[in-house]
Amino acid sequence: MEILSEVGDPNVAVVYIGRTFKGNIVEFVESIPTYNPAEKWVLIVSSLNGCPVGCKMCDAGFFYKGRLSLDELMEQIEYPIQRRWNGKPKTRKFKVQFARMGEPSFNMAVIEAMRLLGERYENFHPSLSTIAPIGTNKFFERLLELKKEMFPTNFQLQFSIHSTNPEQRDEIIPVRKWDFEKIAEYGKAFYDEGGKKITLNFALARENEADANVIAEYFPKEYFLIKITPLNPTVSALKNRLTNDVDLETGLPMKHKKFVDDLRRLGYDVIISVGDTRENLIGSNCGQYILRFLKERPELREAYTFARGFEFRVS
């Protein structure tokens, strides 16, 4: 891996822009959510070179040049391991999220990377965030097999929901994908007693519909939890006129407070995940992609400020 640039604060998060051995330009993130890397250390890696989906709030979908190979996935993981730990992550919880750039289910090499990491590191915790596109059944069959074999209690699987209105969800995630019934069926099969519940993620915009009764209709609380995240400041969110509904100071939704209250009344575990706001300035948060900002350089307040002085050529 040739590192072309790095942006951030090593005590919070660092975004690396690198060139793989095949010549692909990728972004990957090293994050320390607890500020103590010996307790928890997180890598967020790209699965594709770009992304063909084009979600309304995500900056990584402005181009697509294909899948990354297994070795290209591992380069993004091995570089920060070597840099910080000199070969082996000495941390209680070593988490790798396949969530930076690209829908991971489009790349079967993601399965092999998880297997390799599980064999190599006893403290490895896999995490995968997906929209579950139509046509990826083989990927999810193999993912289920791998989870049952190697990671029955420590696999974090997250489905991107964002809206409980199917028509609006199709606008936000503009590709054919599993409906709620299919996600629920797979999630119940994926769950293991004593393991992690399956996460339903809402990057909560004020414009999005969120109805707890729809969640209750499809997703049993015994198997699923709901994660609310702010709509992070991205180029795409600005262009599509989406407005964050989570107060970053209180950590509470504003327009959708009833959604959260209703979910909790119904017995759901609800996580409202507001990280260090410096991650927006770094550009390491979900949906952010520094190369998109450098290409277009919009007027974005409270985002990508660490990269503003960069003179990086974006093709």
Side-chain angles (χ1 to χ4, degrees):
M1 175 71 69
E2 176 190 0
I3 300 301
L4 304 175
S5 295
E6 57 182 84
V7 184
D9 179 339
N11 297 309
V12 180
V14 176
V15 180
Y16 296 101
I17 302 172
R19 181 183 287 114
T20 72
F21 78 102
K22 285 189 171 183
N24 287 311
I25 307 297
V26 297
E27 286 189 15
F28 53 103
V29 175
E30 175 186 1
S31 176
I32 308 172
T34 65
Y35 309 112
N36 180 4
E39 179 184 335
K40 183 178 181 180
W41 190 60
V42 180
L43 301 180
I44 308 167
V45 302
S46 295
S47 302
L48 309 174
N49 186 0
C51 186
V53 177
C55 295
K56 294 295 184 183
M57 74 292 284
C58 181
D59 281 352
F62 73 110
F63 74 101
Y64 178 57
K65 297 183 179 179
R67 301 175 182 89
L68 299 175
S69 70
L70 172 61
D71 288 341
E72 289 177 298
L73 297 178
M74 295 303 297
E75 278 185 286
Q76 299 174 68
I77 297 163
E78 290 167 347
Y79 176 82
I81 288 176
Q82 187 62 34
R83 176 165 176 159
R84 183 175 286 270
W85 304 105
N86 196 29
K88 187 173 183 179
K90 301 174 183 67
T91 177
R92 184 183 65 82
K93 186 175 182 180
F94 168 40
K95 182 177 178 180
V96 177
Q97 296 178 236
F98 291 85
R100 180 63 180 180
M101 177 173 60
E103 164 56 46
S105 66
F106 288 144
N107 189 352
M108 295 298 289
V110 168
I111 303 284
E112 300 311 313
M114 288 181 174
R115 178 178 294 279
L116 187 57
L117 289 165
E119 292 170 348
R120 205 173 271 183
Y121 305 110
E122 68 281 352
N123 54 350
F124 168 61
H125 291 245
S127 175
L128 185 141
S129 181
T130 180
I131 64 166
I134 295 294
T136 56
N137 283 2
K138 183 179 178 182
F139 177 93
F140 285 101
E141 288 168 6
R142 289 188 57 187
L143 184 70
L144 181 62
E145 292 171 359
L146 178 69
K147 192 263 187 177
K148 298 295 183 182
E149 176 189 346
M150 296 186 70
F151 310 109
T153 60
N154 68 340
F155 197 114
Q156 183 181 62
L157 176 63
Q158 176 174 290
F159 288 98
S160 298
I161 305 296
H162 306 315
S163 173
T164 53
N165 180 319
E167 290 76 25
Q168 185 183 53
R169 186 167 178 258
D170 285 342
E171 294 176 4
I172 297 168
I173 309 171
V175 295
R176 295 176 65 223
K177 57 200 164 294
W178 291 1
D179 60 17
F180 293 157
E181 188 173 10
K182 176 67 174 174
I183 292 172
E185 178 187 4
Y186 184 84
K188 285 185 278 189
F190 199 85
Y191 176 77
D192 281 291
E193 191 68 36
K196 293 181 178 295
K197 291 183 180 180
I198 287 74
T199 300
L200 306 175
N201 177 243
F202 286 79
L204 209 52
R206 291 182 191 177
E207 296 78 10
N208 294 5
E209 295 184 32
D211 185 340
N213 291 323
V214 175
I215 298 296
E217 180 181 352
Y218 291 98
F219 303 106
K221 60 182 179 292
E222 294 80 11
Y223 301 98
F224 296 91
L225 63 81
I226 288 74
K227 182 179 178 183
I228 308 292
T229 58
L231 184 70
N232 293 315
T234 63
V235 180
S236 296
L238 179 68
K239 286 190 167 186
N240 290 302
R241 299 180 179 179
L242 297 173
T243 313
N244 173 43
D245 190 48
V246 178
D247 187 313
L248 299 183
E249 291 187 6
T250 65
L252 297 174
M254 293 171 280
K255 178 182 175 183
H256 292 301
K257 182 179 183 300
K258 184 178 185 298
F259 175 56
V260 173
D261 290 343
D262 287 348
L263 286 169
R264 286 175 170 159
R265 178 179 53 79
L266 290 167
Y268 285 92
D269 296 329
V270 181
I271 299 170
I272 302 179
S273 179
V274 179
D276 193 315
T277 55
R278 285 176 290 180
E279 292 195 61
N280 284 330
L281 307 181
I282 292 166
S284 61
N285 265 326
C286 185
Q288 293 188 298
Y289 190 64
I290 288 173
L291 291 178
R292 173 75 180 276
F293 171 78
L294 293 177
K295 184 178 180 66
E296 301 185 32
R297 294 187 181 270
E299 289 299 320
L300 264 177
R301 292 178 296 174
E302 300 180 348
Y304 298 112
T305 57
F306 278 59
R308 290 183 190 277
F310 274 27
E311 293 299 329
F312 192 92
R313 190 176 186 87
V314 183
S315 58

